[in-house]
Structures are given as structure tokens and as C-alpha cells.
Amino acid sequence: MIQKFKSLILEYLFPSGCAVCGSMLLDKEDAWYGLCGDCRRSFKIEKTERCSLCGRPLISEQGTCLACRELAAAETLPAYDKLISLYPYSGGDFAGNSGSYLKLLGSYKFGKRLSLGRFFADKVYEALAMLSISESENPELVPVPPRPGKLRKTGWDQIEYLARFLKKREGEAGSLKVERCLKRLPSETQKKLDRETRKSNLKGRIVVKGKVPKTAVLFDDVITTGSTMDACAAALKESGTEKVYGICLFYD
Ligand SMILES: [Zn+2]
Ligand SMILES: [Zn+2]
């Protein structure tokens, strides 16, 4: 709490320019997002055909990507129904600037440029529009829970912070409710594990607290193998959620 307050004050006192290109943020809107207009425009979402399962843009495939087709063949399809993944984590941006996505995520996740949460909240809504979920499905947003101890250790969790920005939009026309109904129990860090081990590592480690929505839209910052999303979706479905969508800001 104190740490968060301190970084907010620091950001207020020492505005450090655009989180990606470092240019001065003179415009009110630029300061609001922590990103200059040029950078915001360069992070537009590619409106190409996407894999119906993992949401990554398709290159020469149709319908589902090769990686997801392999999962289908091995009958290890994930528990989620459909994902949208927005930005290539390590790729160049729309304008061809390499490394800018990494910088965008890094400034938020590690540099704690909190105002970027607003930008990402906008992107979550853009992704929602791309998922075209009907209102009658009663979708609600569900954050992917952080590993226990993360908040204590680093003072914040980037997804929880994004959830707060999304929560502020509750009640606006077309907005969704944010339901923090998942909790993560201690497990080994996923980073160094392969897909299968990741999956078993998370087995039973995601638990439901409270009421689950009929239709859930999970959101997370990065998708690698999809096993975290998978485990969250499985936990929700075991508790009665009928359909699970997912939004990942970055994919690698
Ligand atoms: Zn910029
Ligand atoms: Zn795929």
C-alpha cells in the first residue's frame, strides 16, 4: 500500500515521459495514459484472422494455428473456449520498431508505470469487442490470480492493478462486471517448465472463491503455453461456468 502510494507520488512529481519512447508528455490525454499519441497509435491491434483457440494471428493457417491443431490431435484441448491474444511480446510493433512491445509491458510490469493500466484497460475492451460475446451470455471479467506472496514481495500485481482500472468502468454503457473469483495456491514458478509440466504443476492450485459467472472472460498479461489460462478455465467450469473466454495482452 505504502509502496504503491509512493510510486504514485513519484510518478506525479517526476513524470518521466512516454513509457515507450521517452518523449515529453505535454498533452493531457498522453499523460493520462503514460504514452504519447504516436506510441498509442503504433500499438493498434492487428485486425487479422486469428486462431480460434489461442487468439494469435494466423500466418498461413486457417481456423486454428498449427500448435493448437497438435493439441487437438493429442486430445489435450484446453478448457477455455476462445482466446484473443493481442500483441507479439518480442516482435516489432506496427511501425516496425523492434522491442517496443517488450518496453510497453516492461514499463508496466517492472517499471510500475501505473497509468499504462488505463491503456491496457482500453485494450481489454477492444479485445472484448473482437470476441463478440452476446449480452445474453452475461459475461463477466475475471482476472487471472497472481501467485501467492507476489503482492507481498513486489508490492503489487500488474493484473490486479488492471482489474482495478476495469472495475472503475463498471456501470458505464457496455461495461462488464469484474469478478475476482479465482485464487492461486502456492506452486512452483511456471517459468522454467514445459507445457505438460506446467499443466501438472498447476493442477488443483487454482481454486474458486465465491460465485462464478455463467460466462467468464479471463484476462492476463502474457500467454506462453496457455496452461495458466487452461487451469483457470478448468477451475471455473468445475464450479459451474458454462463458457470461458480469455484475453491476453501479449503472446510469445
Ligand atoms: Zn512514445
Ligand atoms: Zn492457436
Side-chain angles (χ1 to χ4, degrees), residues 38-222:
D38 283 343
C39 284
R40 287 207 306 282
R41 277 184 292 279
S42 76
F43 293 126
K44 71 176 179 198
I45 299 166
E46 214 174 341
K47 294 284 188 310
T48 55
E49 188 90 35
R50 284 165 189 270
C51 171
S52 59
L53 263 174
C54 70
R56 292 175 171 90
L58 295 171
I59 305 157
S60 56
E61 311 102 322
Q62 274 183 343
T64 42
C65 74
L66 283 175
C68 287
R69 250 179 257 176
E70 271 169 31
L71 297 182
E75 291 182 9
T76 49
L77 276 178
Y80 48 76
D81 297 278
K82 194 178 177 183
L83 295 187
I84 285 277
S85 310
L86 299 180
Y87 301 121
Y89 183 57
S90 48
D93 67 13
F94 237 77
N97 304 312
S98 64
S100 48
Y101 290 115
L102 267 174
K103 214 158 174 193
L104 178 64
L105 178 64
S107 317
Y108 180 57
K109 194 168 175 168
F110 308 111
K112 295 187 192 172
R113 289 295 301 268
L114 304 178
S115 46
L116 289 176
R118 286 192 192 101
F119 178 74
F120 290 131
D122 282 3
K123 296 300 150 184
V124 166
Y125 270 93
E126 274 184 51
L128 265 172
M130 289 163 78
L131 284 166
S132 50
I133 307 164
S134 95
E135 228 174 282
S136 63
E137 288 184 69
N138 282 324
E140 289 178 19
L141 288 163
V142 179
V144 165
R147 278 196 325 162
K150 188 172 180 229
L151 279 164
R152 198 171 2 101
K153 236 171 89 186
T154 63
W156 88 309
D157 172 63
Q158 70 278 7
I159 299 306
E160 168 50 28
Y161 206 75
L162 174 57
R164 281 187 211 178
F165 276 116
L166 290 164
K167 194 118 187 113
K168 279 187 197 148
R169 294 169 75 140
E170 280 185 1
E172 284 175 24
S175 70
L176 302 189
K177 236 179 103 185
V178 179
E179 200 65 74
R180 296 179 178 95
C181 58
L182 292 176
K183 194 182 154 183
R184 195 153 162 175
L185 303 176
S187 64
E188 244 184 276
T189 165
Q190 295 280 91
K191 274 184 199 128
K192 289 183 185 126
L193 310 172
D194 62 24
R195 184 174 184 273
E196 272 318 298
T197 336
R198 278 180 184 226
K199 223 174 148 175
S200 55
N201 184 41
L202 275 177
K203 216 173 167 86
R205 309 317 290 164
I206 307 272
V207 291
V208 161
K209 48 166 195 177
K211 203 177 144 277
V212 299
K214 183 171 163 257
T215 302
V217 186
L218 287 161
F219 60 95
D220 203 357
D221 54 351
V222 184

